Amino acid sequence: MRRNHSTTPRTPRVLAALLLLAAAGAFTLGAAPAAEAAPTPLNRVVPAPASVTPGGTPYRITRATAVRVDASAEVRGIGAYLAGLLRPATGYPLPVTDRGTGGIRLHLASGDFGAEGYRLQSGARGVTLTARTPAGLFHGVQTLRQLLPAAVEKRTVQRTTWQIAGGTVQDRPRYAYRGAMLDVSRHFFTVAQVERYIDQLALYKVNELHLHLSDDQGWRIAVDSWPRLASYGGSTQVGGGRGGFYTKDDYREIVRYAASRYLEVVPEIDMPGHTNAALASYAQLTCDGVAPPLYTGTQVGFSSLCVPKQVTYDFVDDVVRELAALTPGRYLHIGGDEAHSTSHTDYVSFMDRVQPVVARYGKTVIGWHQLTGAHPARGALAQYWGLDGTNAAEKAQVAQAARNGTGLILSPADRIYLDMKYTSGTRLGTKWAGLVEVRRSYDWNPGAYLAGAPASAIRGVEAPLWSETLTRSADIEYMAFPRLAGAAELGWSPAATHGWNAYRVRLAAQGPRWDALGIHYYRSPQVPWPAR
Ligand code: TNX
């Protein structure tokens, strides 16, 4: 007791002295070496920029830096988004203003930028992003972000210097369609989970979010004229969990959020197969009038809408009308894959009747490539998901359709199906298309991929993520990263920049960024990740 009494007053003083010393040490350590760290080279970005001219003094973001925008609400919005990204880690105020000079400038101008390109110029006095469109500025912001240290992604103040290498980046995409698909049917993902993924996609300049909204295991979008689709058809998922669905307001929120990140939402209602959830909800949609039970397994190819019945087309009309009305984007995906329990004749007649419905509600059809076995509508796009070295007849059919004017979106399953396991040891995912390590996923050329398809038919690349085995955001991330970055680069970067040896170095630099963002990713041994 007494002893304690005599020693306690001294302890805090000693502790305080030690803390002061530690703080001083941290201050010196924090300030000095970071100031000498070289800025990230202008080409160490994913996707690789079209052209880079390094040179000159870097720009250093300081407490005095402002984000200077054109006097336009949309440009100001992108400026606010950028400032919001940079403020937490820099601790700087970064006001967004349409006055002054220097700093980080976002500027719209006419020029040879295309619909999504931009120019980034960096020098001692500032960084200027110029584009013809807000989308171009937004993509330029993602480049700027990657040129700053990975610590910029942290949400607390970091002690370092924030430099952007001097020089010019001139950039624009190879393809207009750069997509990612999320299967929200096999397992349901909340609006917040979808928005988290959207933010991750935006970092890599992905501009299309394809949502697989219906399948055998769950119907995920409210349809007022057929309410049981969501309330009953959405009530479970693979493994028998509670499932879920998006109300119309939820869906509008996803569309709004995606648009704020310059992504277009492509909704998919998969038909005529993959429809058990709909058939279970409405017995009249089946040919025998008997509703099947809800399905929580992972088989495919056992369900079909009843092609001869008129009510099928009343249903399709209602669903397409309501979904088209909710969707500002250009496309409506009608699925059409694995219709193994629909006869070929029925499949063709179904697609002949359904495609005009999509057109009537003002949307362009996208279908899985089996659509090329029917009569793809004028302007329709087919999404190719075949594999190397298999099914030559089917490949020939897709190539023939491409020669006849059907545009193609490439999603080869043995390359960019993000649900394929990386190795036999990958806990999540499936392997029906093989094991797909990071290099295999990246190392192919979309422009020359499908023999006989003219290069002009290739509209872009999409990386689908099927969710039979995925239940959490961490699962989505582990399968998507790092392969999604490679798919995004195949969609954006000119073929001339393609090369695994340089790519793996650029990819490795993303690791610390993903760590800072809390993205759970696969540390592939093929990539020289910096030590953690
Ligand atoms: C094939 S690809 C499917 C999906 C599965 C996926 C699993 C395609 C259009 N259909 O139904 O979820 O494989 O990888």
Side-chain angles (χ1 to χ4, degrees), residues 18 68 95 174 211 216 225 308 316 412 421 441 479 498 501:
L18 278 172
R68 294 199 308 108
R174 180 179 186 186
L211 289 176
D216 292 317
S225 49
V316 169
K421 291 176 185 287
S441 188
M479 299 314 281
H498 189 90
N501 289 334

Side-chain angles (χ1 to χ4, degrees), residues 183 186 212 215 268 270 274 300 337-338 368 370 385 413 417 419-420 430 432 466-468:
D183 172 8
R186 270 51 176 275
H212 185 74
D215 212 304
E268 178 187 355
D270 202 346
H274 289 277
V300 296
D337 58 313
E338 297 174 321
W368 296 105
Q370 281 73 15
W385 58 281
Y417 261 32
D419 58 315
M420 291 303 121
T430 63
W432 67 263
W466 301 98
S467 65
E468 286 92 335

Side-chain angles (χ1 to χ4, degrees), residues 484-510:
L484 174 88
E489 173 148 323
L490 290 169
W492 179 279
S493 305
T497 64
H498 189 90
W500 169 251
N501 289 334
Y503 175 67
R504 64 199 281 273
V505 173
R506 284 183 290 111
L507 185 60
Q510 304 298 308

